[in-house]
Amino acid sequence: MIHLSVSDVMTGTVRTTTPAETMAGVATRLREEGIGSLIVVDPTSDELTGIVTESDIVRLVAAGAAGATTVSEMMSSDVITIAPDASIHDAARLMREHSIRRLPVVEGGELVGMLTTTNLVHYLPRLRNTILRERTQA
Amino acid sequence: MIHLSVSDVMTGTVRTTTPAETMAGVATRLREEGIGSLIVVDPTSDELTGIVTESDIVRLVAAGAAGATTVSEMMSSDVITIAPDASIHDAARLMREHSIRRLPVVEGGELVGMLTTTNLVHYLPRLRNTILRERTQA
């Protein structure tokens, strides 16, 4: 049986920032790298401490916040993560349950990738064939 | 054969704005309604003229633009749309090809819904069963 796992679909590169970065700095990084979020890592402990997304910037703009607002003031610190060997169906369920579009992928305490709704959708056209092949081999 | 179509998965409600709305106004609407984009409709002709998304706001913040920037200055006017009876696999391919996350759904010139990567991912856990059922009935 072919197991459709998070590691098959995730982006292996993880883009990080620090709690002291500014909203303007985050916006520049997101635009330049064509991504929707940055993982916030504590510069001393090197631990995952939050996630900052396009939606956080929209929220701040709506509130009339200045570009100098820091990541620590705008990030979500309760980060929902997933393991690389979890199934993509479990990942989709987790996203739905928590109304989120991005899951940092963590293995043994280490950040190893990022899974987004975009990753899952780009995989969708191949999914049908994979499921049917798996069924034939069962 | 069960056809997995855009109309099975899309959001039937379409949120619109006008070219004269401001960036700050768009940010407020997106935050209040918990969505990522607004369709831009011409107030006189009532025609679809663009789409404005979270990413457009991030781009403007990165460029140091003011909250008074108008939708007409920030929207994308080449809008890729899809028909409600198109398959979700074609929708996923179109999103991948154009690097977009949202497809306004248009039927006979009328805006009838919106399909996002989030809609597709929320459908993913049910997709496997639908594909296998379709196979059994083939």
Side-chain angles (χ1 to χ4, degrees):
Chain A
M1 177 172 154
I2 297 159
H3 182 68
L4 302 164
S5 69
V6 166
S7 59
D8 295 327
V9 183
M10 72 182 192
T11 302
T13 317
V14 184
R15 271 86 164 205
T16 63
T17 186
T18 63
E21 181 56 88
T22 63
M23 171 173 88
V26 170
T28 302
R29 284 278 306 284
L30 297 183
R31 188 201 48 177
E32 284 177 359
E33 305 187 27
I35 53 176
S37 65
L38 292 170
I39 302 292
V40 187
V41 172
D42 184 293
T44 51
S45 70
D46 213 36
E47 279 183 3
L48 188 159
T49 53
I51 185 167
V52 64
T53 73
E54 285 181 324
S55 302
D56 294 319
I57 293 177
V58 169
R59 185 171 44 83
L60 287 176
V61 169
T69 305
T70 64
V71 164
S72 62
E73 298 171 84
M74 64 189 282
M75 72 183 188
S76 301
S77 47
D78 289 328
V79 186
I80 313 286
T81 63
I82 196 159
D85 60 352
S87 81
I88 59 166
H89 295 90
D90 287 339
R93 274 186 216 104
L94 207 56
M95 287 176 173
R96 179 175 203 155
E97 200 181 312
H98 295 277
S99 299
I100 52 178
R101 294 198 307 235
R102 301 161 183 100
L103 289 170
V105 185
V106 174
E107 185 172 33
E110 289 289 312
L111 204 52
V112 296
M114 181 70 131
L115 184 78
T116 69
T117 51
T118 301
N119 293 139
L120 289 172
V121 167
H122 287 179
Y123 191 79
L124 197 61
R126 283 187 292 157
L127 187 61
R128 183 192 162 81
N129 292 335
T130 311
I131 290 173
L132 293 178
R133 199 164 57 236
E134 180 186 319
R135 175 73 169 185
T136 306
Q137 294 180 354
Chain B
M1 177 174 153
I2 298 159
H3 182 67
L4 302 164
S5 69
V6 166
S7 59
D8 295 327
V9 184
M10 72 183 192
T11 302
T13 317
V14 184
R15 271 85 164 204
T16 63
T17 186
T18 63
E21 182 56 88
T22 63
M23 172 173 88
V26 170
T28 302
R29 283 279 307 282
L30 297 183
R31 187 200 50 175
E32 286 179 356
E33 304 188 26
I35 53 176
S37 65
L38 292 170
I39 303 291
V40 187
V41 172
D42 184 292
T44 49
S45 70
D46 213 35
E47 279 182 4
L48 187 159
T49 53
I51 185 167
V52 64
T53 73
E54 284 181 326
S55 301
D56 294 319
I57 292 176
V58 169
R59 184 170 45 81
L60 287 177
V61 170
T69 304
T70 62
V71 164
S72 60
E73 297 171 85
M74 65 188 282
M75 70 182 188
S76 301
S77 48
D78 290 327
V79 186
I80 313 287
T81 63
I82 196 159
D85 60 351
S87 81
I88 61 166
H89 294 90
D90 287 340
R93 275 188 213 100
L94 207 56
M95 286 176 174
R96 179 174 202 154
E97 200 181 311
H98 295 277
S99 298
I100 53 179
R101 295 198 307 236
R102 299 160 184 102
L103 288 170
V105 185
V106 174
E107 186 173 33
E110 289 289 312
L111 203 53
V112 295
M114 182 70 130
L115 184 78
T116 69
T117 51
T118 301
N119 293 140
L120 289 172
V121 167
H122 287 180
Y123 191 79
L124 197 60
R126 282 187 291 159
L127 189 60
R128 182 191 162 82
N129 293 334
T130 310
I131 289 172
L132 292 177
R133 197 164 56 234
E134 178 185 322
R135 176 72 168 184
T136 306
Q137 295 180 353

